[in-house]
Amino acid sequence: MDRLSQRMLTALKPGVAIPSYDRARMETRIVHLGAGAFHRSHQAVYTDSLMEGGDVRWGILAASLRSPAISQALAPQDGLYTLLINDDGERQARVIGSLSRVVCLAQERELLQARLAAPSTEIVSLTITEKGYCYEPASGALDERHPDILADLAAPQRPGTAIGLLVAAIHERKRLGIKPFTILSCDNLPANGATVRRVLERYAELAQPRFGDGDLRRHFLEHYACPGTMVDRITPAVTELDRQEVARRLGVFDAAPVVTEPFSQWVIEDAFSSDRPAWEDVGATLTDDVAAFEEMKLRLLNGSHSALAYLGGLAGYETVARAMCDAHLAGFIERLMDDAALTLTMPAGVDLEAYRRSLLARFRNGALNHLTAQIAMDGSQKLPQRILAPVRHRLARGLDVERHALVVAAWIRYLQGRSEHGATLAINDPMGDALTGAVAAAGPSVEGRVEAVLGFGQVFGQDLPRDAAFVRSVERALHVVSSKGVGAALSMPAYRGI
Ligand code: CS2
């Protein structure tokens, strides 16, 4: 079978949307770090729509920082890939043309660093996942003992992290007198703009003697904007079946398609230090205040997702849609959202009830094969903003935290690496070894396991392990989950809210 490429575009089967703009005229003004599926189901699609509208100045050079898999898959395809939108019962394929080039840091370091420093680069966007920021989730500060940060500080001109690459580029631009770009975090971090700024500021401060530039930190703070964003589109990992389905629809093989849902949302703080694409013309919301959107999404969508991942994974549900078929678990998710909603100031013009209903419908989309194991990854990096932030709010207001504590307990139980049916649950987390080691060392005592896990200050801070109400709620929940199981816990009045 032929392979998707620029040349093959006109030979695709009917019914597949293809770029109607002249890709040869496309300029490249965005460098994107983290070329994974989420970037390609979200920002690259908005940018493709913009080009469909005639503005072809905003092509994207997408770089993966670790695995060469994506660049190897997309280079022979001239950067083209298929977006397969999966609704219950309906599917649509669209070929996306906005990636002008895809590279891998290990193989094309010189090119990537040159493009980061090039005057034509207006925006550097990021989807590097929570752990890519090398920060301490509880405090939001740079993790100065992170091995990748230490390696970058030892050789700051040849960095391996996104943080190191950005600061090296800022230094180079400053040296050559080149105007600043904008740094656009598109990850599910708390206050992602402020967080990436804080981490970059500290790294620049530590790196500036090495660069022989005592003014680097101040220069960054004065000239480079890091707008906050809220990004949303559920993007499950692609399977072999998806690739076969795409090949059937296109009539050619695509080695790196992306599968997603119809829903997409992007809210961007309108505070750029460079020129920017008119993403608002293609569905994005540019606003002065992104924080309310971010918190709403992190606590209602992502918080529910993590709950479904740990409780559902333990109960043996492999996908979110299957977990949502369990009436007790679905009911719990609704109550968890109610609890989280009390900690939020909803963004102007957003109706809580409608938002909640749309989330539940999205979770129930049975056409998406969204694995609970995918969401369960990196719990140490995700729980602070999704579950522990609402816990702190509720504790401060004297409200109970039973349901959120049940999610924490499910995570602790999940760290044992076995579902209730004995299936292996992979623990994929940068702190995984330390966490599973601590759980194993604590032995069977519930109090011991809770103490061991809550002792991870990078996750729980110094406050939560000392909060008796929180600790007792987690202990109670872990006790039930360990002795009676998830199903029994979910039918208890404390968690059902009756
Ligand atoms: C999920 C998110 O994997 C996860 O942790 O909660 O990737 C989620 O699907 C997206 O944020 C939806 O926009």
Side-chain angles (χ1 to χ4, degrees):
M1 197 178 234
D2 283 318
R3 183 85 175 260
L4 176 64
S5 69
Q6 184 67 35
R7 194 175 58 80
M8 291 306 294
L9 273 184
T10 48
L12 301 189
K13 284 191 183 167
V16 180
I18 59 169
S20 67
Y21 50 93
D22 181 0
R23 292 186 78 230
R25 284 183 42 239
M26 181 159 80
E27 296 168 32
T28 301
R29 288 169 194 239
I30 300 176
V31 175
H32 182 82
L33 303 181
F38 180 65
H39 170 64
R40 293 183 295 120
S41 76
H42 192 268
Q43 306 101 65
V45 178
Y46 285 85
T47 306
D48 182 76
S49 300
L50 197 72
M51 300 206 196
E52 287 292 340
D55 186 356
V56 293
R57 291 174 302 156
W58 297 97
I60 304 169
L61 178 134
S64 43
L65 302 186
R66 292 177 187 276
S67 156
I70 290 291
S71 56
Q72 279 166 2
L74 289 183
Q77 299 185 183
D78 303 313
L80 295 166
Y81 65 92
T82 313
L83 180 78
L84 187 68
I85 299 180
N86 258 349
D87 205 350
D88 266 333
E90 209 190 309
R91 288 173 164 191
Q92 269 172 32
R94 164 174 166 191
V95 175
I96 302 298
S98 53
L99 302 191
S100 53
R101 181 134 191 203
V102 187
V103 301
C104 171
L105 173 64
Q107 280 148 13
E108 283 130 321
R109 167 181 293 282
E110 274 67 39
L111 175 102
L112 176 60
Q113 291 198 255
R115 295 306 284 270
L116 284 166
S120 54
T121 298
E122 302 279 354
I123 292 173
V124 181
S125 50
L126 310 170
T127 51
I128 52 177
T129 79
E130 296 87 347
K131 60 178 174 268
Y133 291 81
C134 307
Y135 78 139
E136 291 184 351
S139 66
L142 178 74
D143 178 359
E144 295 177 24
R145 285 171 306 175
H146 194 296
D148 298 348
I149 291 296
L150 292 173
D152 280 6
L153 286 171
Q157 307 275 12
R158 289 182 62 78
T161 68
I163 301 305
L165 283 166
L166 281 163
V167 171
I170 293 165
H171 164 69
E172 190 63 3
R173 293 174 86 93
K174 177 172 183 281
R175 196 176 69 79
L176 300 172
I178 297 171
K179 64 185 187 332
F181 48 56
T182 298
I183 296 152
L184 199 61
S185 165
C186 298
D187 283 294
N188 293 316
L189 306 181
N192 56 11
T195 299
V196 70
R197 182 178 161 89
R198 185 181 321 112
V199 168
L200 287 168
E201 174 191 354
R202 179 65 181 145
Y203 180 91
E205 187 172 20
L206 295 171
Q208 59 186 16
R210 291 262 174 183
F211 283 116
D213 177 359
D215 195 33
L216 185 58
R217 170 183 168 273
R218 191 200 55 80
H219 176 84
F220 161 67
L221 286 179
E222 259 175 36
H223 298 285
Y224 283 75
C226 305
T229 66
M230 182 269 248
V231 289
D232 190 7
R233 193 165 211 184
I234 294 174
T235 309
V238 162
T239 65
E240 196 40 49
L241 280 179
D242 295 326
R243 272 188 277 270
Q244 287 169 15
E245 161 78 13
V246 167
R248 247 195 321 274
R249 282 175 180 263
L250 268 60
V252 301
F253 179 69
D254 177 351
V258 176
V259 176
T260 190
E261 59 174 343
F263 183 93
S264 182
Q265 189 175 15
W266 197 7
V267 183
I268 309 169
E269 186 186 358
D270 196 359
F272 283 65
S273 44
S274 64
D275 197 3
R276 68 164 176 84
W279 281 312
E280 66 273 35
D281 292 350
V282 288
T285 304
L286 273 288
T287 171
D288 289 342
D289 180 19
V290 80
F293 286 96
E294 281 190 277
E295 284 176 1
M296 167 185 84
K297 193 252 170 177
L298 284 169
R299 294 182 198 171
L300 296 182
L301 188 158
N302 297 112
S304 303
H305 253 176
S306 291
L308 286 161
Y310 300 123
L311 289 162
L314 285 171
Y317 299 118
E318 287 188 1
T319 69
V320 170
R322 285 205 175 279
M324 286 296 290
C325 291
D326 178 322
H328 285 307
L329 187 45
F332 174 79
I333 294 298
E334 291 194 39
R335 300 286 85 74
L336 186 75
M337 284 193 199
D338 292 338
D339 290 353
L342 280 182
T343 72
L344 295 169
T345 310
M346 289 298 282
V350 180
D351 176 57
L352 170 63
E353 208 23 59
Y355 186 71
R356 223 173 62 112
R357 265 201 313 276
S358 95
L359 292 182
L360 294 167
R362 291 169 65 197
F363 295 162
R364 290 200 168 100
N365 181 350
L368 282 187
N369 202 31
H370 200 190
L371 298 182
T372 46
Q374 182 182 344
I375 302 169
M377 273 175 56
D378 295 344
S380 69
Q381 313 289 302
K382 292 175 176 173
L383 290 189
Q385 55 277 22
R386 298 176 177 203
I387 299 294
L388 305 180
V391 160
R392 286 194 175 87
H393 271 257
R394 290 184 63 89
L395 289 170
R397 289 171 52 188
L399 298 168
D400 78 84
V401 293
E402 299 306 312
R403 277 180 282 264
H404 282 83
L406 179 59
V407 181
V408 175
W411 179 54
I412 298 175
R413 168 67 185 79
Y414 198 99
L415 289 171
Q416 288 177 277
R418 288 247 170 254
S419 79
E420 291 177 351
H421 309 286
T424 302
L425 300 170
I427 308 302
N428 224 319
D429 188 304
M431 293 167 62
D433 288 347
L435 284 161
T436 51
V439 169
S445 135
V446 163
E447 288 73 19
R449 277 184 283 154
V450 169
E451 191 182 353
V453 175
L454 265 50
F456 282 80
Q458 307 98 305
V459 180
F460 291 93
Q462 304 307 316
D463 55 339
L464 290 179
R466 293 204 192 110
D467 190 297
F470 175 67
V471 175
R472 269 202 299 274
S473 299
V474 179
E475 286 172 354
R476 258 197 307 272
L478 184 58
H479 201 270
V480 186
V481 168
S482 302
S483 61
K484 302 201 174 117
V486 167
L490 292 175
S491 57
M492 286 172 62
Y495 303 115
R496 288 173 72 187
I498 49 170

